[in-house]
């Protein structure tokens, strides 16, 4: 029986990508991915769970995202290839762990695209036109709403079809608008009404306890809101100077977004009318369009109109970005050896992976047909995002063990500390997401395994065995985390067999244990040797010695 060695799967298609994206454009990609529909819902959802302490939830979410993102910036600068986020696990652990990580990451990102289209149509349904009000029935999009959302999907993909330069110019302009409107909203609401008494109203600063503050990070959309930091990494193949621009773009987009989200959260908390908290507190708020409703309540009708318009622009901008990044992810999965070769083709004239773009369009249509409401799609995104986080910390330290001499334009001195801390944070977020979401993670992973089996189980046992041994830690990790979530504290949806705070101590210990197991399981598999050869040939073509960086000196933090 024939089998294909992934070391021979690189077909040179990366030469067709246009390295035209600088730091500003990549930062716009990251920030544009982060600021989508989430900011329109996030402040209200977080406040409903955590009250005024939702401010801390945003800070915690940013710390988690930044810590995990730092592990990926080193990997992204080492391997400036399209669809980078789906490749790193393959390089460090082979096909099983690599496929599971890639599948989770792709599901998390591809489902955002119909989610953003759905969010735009749901907000359009509140416009003062009869035809708009027939787009959403209060729970999900109507047939007309789905048809209009489908048109939006076509628009996202149309802008990505012709050239990366068209995408970059369009996205930068949209991102500027997406940043200005939230800042304007926060400032206008603060000037209109700023009642500091709301910090004590409705049950005080932490009305539902600290467990609610942590759960808000996972289930109110905060971690998902910061998940856009992946987009610059997935477009690394089109970065002019990836070693310098990728870390700047990733870190800058997270920090800028944190400032905007905190301003919006403070503005929302202080703008809520006191009588709205008198009966039931923060959890009883009933705002369909939270920020726009508050703008109308304080006579800022002009701001409400801007918000209704931006509710269309912001999600559409994010959907357009994710249409681009997911096509690069499909290209990466194909080069990992788990999709037909056609999905690795890049149009030489435009620098766009068009077959991958078409595949993602059909998958986005399928998600839209099944999940017609923003909330149901957001849940899928949140569940898959959690599992996609855990491979970065393990992969980055595995690569330091397996390929110490490989060029690292970004080499973080504190990575031996950052990586295990990031693994602990990822594990805690999975636990905070509450049972049964962790069970759903297992189901989502299982759905994708037949594709892996089709390509991998045909290989000889001697070839397959090391891939299985190197990936079993990830399978065991998912099962153990599901069991801990099921048995955990009732505040996190569990059966109450584990009491606070020992439940989180146990989760942290599990994260460290599997981090150590994962790093020790890494091996020099064919994907790693192939990419090492590719990077060495590229360095030689630039006139550099092996292990040199494209920059004058590696960035050390």
């Amino acid at each position: 029986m024939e089998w294909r060695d992934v070391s021979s799967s690189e077909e040179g298609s990366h030469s067709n990508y246009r390295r035209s994206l600088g730091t500003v454009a990549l930062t716009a990609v990251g920030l544009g991915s982060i600021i989508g529909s989430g900011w329109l819902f996030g402040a209200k959802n977080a406040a409903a769970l955590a009250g005024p302490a939702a401010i801390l939830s945003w800070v915690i979410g940013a710390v988690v995202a930044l810590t995990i993102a730092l592990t990926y910036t080193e990997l992204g600068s080492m391997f400036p290839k399209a669809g980078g986020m789906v490749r790193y696990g393959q390089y460090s652990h082979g096909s099983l762990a690599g496929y599971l990580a890639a599948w989770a990451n792709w599901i998390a990102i591809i489902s955002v695209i119909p989610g953003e289209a759905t969010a735009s149509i749901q907000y359009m349904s509140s416009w003062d036109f009869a035809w708009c009000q027939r787009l959403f029935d209060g729970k999900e999009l109507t047939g007309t709403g789905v048809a209009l959302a489908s048109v939006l999907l076509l628009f996202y993909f149309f802008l990505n079809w012709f050239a990366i330069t068209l995408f970059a110019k369009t996205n930068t302009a949209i991102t500027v608008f997406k940043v200005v409107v939230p800042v304007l909203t926060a400032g206008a609401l603060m000037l209109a009404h700023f009642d500091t008494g709301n910090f004590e109203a409705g049950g005080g600063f932490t009305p539902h306890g600290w467990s609610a503050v942590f759960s808000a990070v996972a289930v109110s959309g905060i971690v998902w809101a910061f998940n856009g930091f992946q987009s610059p990494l997935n477009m690394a193949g089109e970065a002019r100077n990836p070693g310098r621009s990728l870390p700047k773009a990733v870190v800058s987009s997270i920090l800028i977004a944190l400032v905007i989200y905190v301003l919006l959260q403070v503005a929302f908390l202080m703008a809520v009318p006191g009588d709205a908290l008198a009966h039931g507190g923060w959890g009883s708020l009933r705002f369909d369009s939270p920020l726009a409703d508050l703008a109308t309540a304080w006579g800022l009708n002009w701001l409400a109109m801007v918000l209704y318009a931006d509710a269309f622009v912001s999600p559409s901008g994010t959907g357009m970005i994710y249409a681009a990044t997911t096509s690069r992810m499909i290209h990466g999965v194909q080069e990992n050896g788990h999709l037909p070769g056609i999905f690795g083709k890049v149009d030489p004239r435009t620098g766009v992976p068009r077959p991958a773009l078409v595949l993602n369009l059909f998958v986005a249509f399928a998600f839209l047909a099944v999940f017609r409401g923003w909330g149901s799609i957001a849940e899928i995104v949140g569940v898959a995002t959690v599992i996609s986080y855990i491979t970065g910390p393990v992969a980055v330290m595995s690569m330091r063990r397996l390929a110490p001499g490989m060029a690292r334009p970004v080499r973080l001195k504190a990575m031996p500390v950052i990586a295990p801390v990031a693994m602990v944070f990822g594990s805690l977020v999975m636990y905070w997401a509450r049972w049964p979401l962790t069970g759903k993670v297992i189901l989502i992973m299982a759905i994708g395994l037949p594709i892996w089996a089709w390509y991998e189980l045909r290989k000889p046992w001697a070839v397959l065995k090391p891939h299985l041994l190197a990936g079993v830690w990830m399978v065991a990790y998912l099962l153990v985390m599901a069991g801990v979530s099921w048995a955990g504290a009732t505040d996190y949806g569990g059966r109450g067999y584990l009491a606070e705070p020992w439940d989180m101590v146990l989760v942290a210990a599990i994260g460290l244990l599997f981090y150590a197991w994962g790093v020790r399981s890494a091996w020099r598999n064919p994907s790693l040797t192939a990419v090492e050869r590719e990077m060495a040939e590229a360095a030689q073509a630039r006139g550099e010695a092996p292990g040199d960086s494209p920059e004058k000196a590696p960035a050390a933090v």
Side-chain angles (χ1 to χ4, degrees):
M1 182 177 294
E2 295 184 356
W3 58 277
R4 185 168 62 94
D5 187 339
V6 294
S7 64
S8 64
S9 65
E10 303 283 355
E11 301 179 6
S13 58
H14 284 271
S15 62
N16 292 327
Y17 281 118
R18 303 290 186 262
R19 290 195 176 274
S20 58
L21 301 182
T23 301
V24 173
L26 286 170
T27 301
V29 168
L31 195 57
S33 297
I34 291 172
I35 302 178
S37 59
W39 78 272
L40 297 164
F41 299 97
K44 184 262 181 182
N45 291 347
L49 280 172
I55 298 171
L56 299 180
S57 299
W58 285 104
V59 175
I60 294 170
V63 171
V64 170
L66 186 60
T67 305
I68 294 172
L70 287 175
T71 68
Y72 283 110
T73 57
E74 182 169 321
L75 292 167
S77 69
M78 287 178 66
F79 309 109
K81 296 167 70 64
M85 292 285 289
V86 303
R87 298 175 183 270
Y88 309 139
Q90 178 90 14
Y91 294 155
S92 61
H93 288 81
S95 68
L96 179 56
Y99 178 81
L100 288 173
W103 175 261
N105 199 270
W106 178 68
I107 289 294
I109 302 301
I110 189 65
S111 54
V112 169
I113 303 173
E116 298 302 301
T118 299
S120 293
I121 303 305
Q122 285 187 207
Y123 268 86
M124 283 182 64
S125 68
S126 63
W127 293 2
D128 193 21
F129 298 101
W131 67 273
C132 289
Q133 296 169 5
R134 292 193 293 268
L135 299 175
F136 185 69
D137 65 8
K139 294 182 179 180
E140 61 180 25
L141 297 183
T142 63
T144 304
V146 170
L148 195 54
S150 299
V151 172
L152 279 180
L153 292 181
L154 290 171
F155 173 71
Y156 302 160
F157 286 86
F158 175 80
L159 286 178
N160 282 280
W161 182 262
F162 292 102
I164 185 62
T165 50
L166 173 62
F167 161 79
K169 292 176 181 178
T170 306
N171 175 62
T172 300
I174 291 176
T175 300
V176 170
F177 184 77
K178 291 169 68 173
V179 171
V180 168
V181 173
V183 173
L184 176 66
T185 300
L189 287 177
M190 288 180 182
L191 290 174
H193 188 79
F194 197 84
D195 186 358
T196 57
N198 284 356
F199 274 117
E200 298 299 328
F205 187 70
T206 56
H208 305 127
W210 283 100
S211 62
V213 177
F214 296 132
S215 288
V217 176
V219 301
S220 69
I222 291 177
V223 166
W224 175 40
F226 286 111
N227 193 41
F229 77 78
Q230 299 184 27
S231 292
L233 298 171
N234 284 322
M235 310 220 28
E238 289 125 301
R240 283 197 299 266
N241 190 344
R244 187 176 301 277
S245 58
L246 282 178
K248 288 183 178 179
V250 170
V251 173
S252 297
S253 60
I254 291 175
L255 294 180
I256 293 171
L258 172 62
V259 173
I260 293 172
Y261 283 137
V262 169
L263 287 174
L264 284 167
Q265 187 66 69
V266 171
F268 177 85
L269 292 168
M270 301 301 101
V272 171
D275 56 359
L277 301 173
H279 304 287
W282 294 99
S284 65
L285 295 179
R286 294 292 182 268
F287 293 131
D288 294 328
S289 304
L291 297 172
D293 289 347
L294 287 177
T296 302
W298 300 114
L300 302 176
N301 294 327
W302 63 271
L303 179 60
M305 296 301 296
V306 170
L307 285 168
Y308 284 133
D310 189 65
F312 179 81
V313 175
S314 286
S316 294
T318 300
M320 181 185 70
I321 294 171
Y322 279 38
T325 59
T326 51
S327 64
R328 277 67 177 174
M329 293 169 75
I330 285 295
H331 186 180
V333 172
Q334 184 277 322
E335 288 191 339
N336 286 346
H338 298 131
L339 281 176
I342 188 174
F343 295 113
K345 302 294 183 181
V346 179
D347 182 74
R349 293 183 299 104
T350 62
V352 175
R354 286 180 168 177
L357 203 62
V358 172
L359 173 62
N360 282 327
L361 176 60
F362 281 102
V363 174
F365 279 140
F367 268 99
L368 182 61
V370 176
F371 305 103
R372 298 186 173 193
W374 185 88
S376 58
I377 297 179
E379 184 180 58
I380 298 298
V381 174
V383 170
T385 296
V386 173
I387 183 60
S388 69
Y389 274 172
I390 69 169
T391 53
V394 173
V396 70
M397 291 308 296
S398 297
M399 294 309 302
R400 287 198 176 186
R401 181 172 69 84
L402 297 175
M406 202 168 178
R408 286 170 170 79
V410 176
R411 184 182 178 91
L412 305 180
K413 293 180 179 179
M415 188 58 72
V417 175
I418 293 173
V421 170
M423 184 69 172
V424 169
F425 282 169
S427 301
L428 287 172
V429 170
M430 185 181 295
Y431 180 68
W432 294 342
R434 300 178 177 181
W435 181 263
L437 288 185
T438 45
K440 292 181 179 180
V441 169
I442 302 297
L443 178 60
I444 292 174
M445 294 302 98
I447 291 174
L449 283 176
I451 300 175
W452 174 86
W454 172 259
Y455 285 96
E456 297 296 324
L457 294 186
R458 294 180 292 173
K459 295 179 179 179
W461 173 246
V463 174
L464 179 61
K465 181 180 177 180
H467 292 271
L468 295 176
L469 293 177
V472 69
W473 72 270
M474 193 169 180
V475 177
Y477 172 81
L478 292 175
L479 294 174
V480 170
M481 284 300 301
V484 171
S485 181
W486 173 83
T490 55
D491 285 343
Y492 298 105
R495 300 295 297 270
Y497 298 133
L498 300 174
E500 296 183 88
W502 300 110
D503 53 344
M504 286 195 282
V505 173
L506 177 61
V507 169
I510 289 172
L512 292 174
L513 174 64
F514 279 94
Y515 165 80
W517 184 2
V519 172
R520 289 178 63 87
S521 296
W523 65 298
R524 292 187 58 80
N525 62 83
S527 294
L528 176 57
T529 56
V531 77
E532 280 183 316
R533 183 171 60 251
E534 181 185 344
M535 295 294 106
E537 291 172 353
Q540 186 176 17
R542 294 191 299 265
E544 301 166 2
D548 282 351
S549 165
E551 288 78 20
K552 293 182 180 179
V557 178

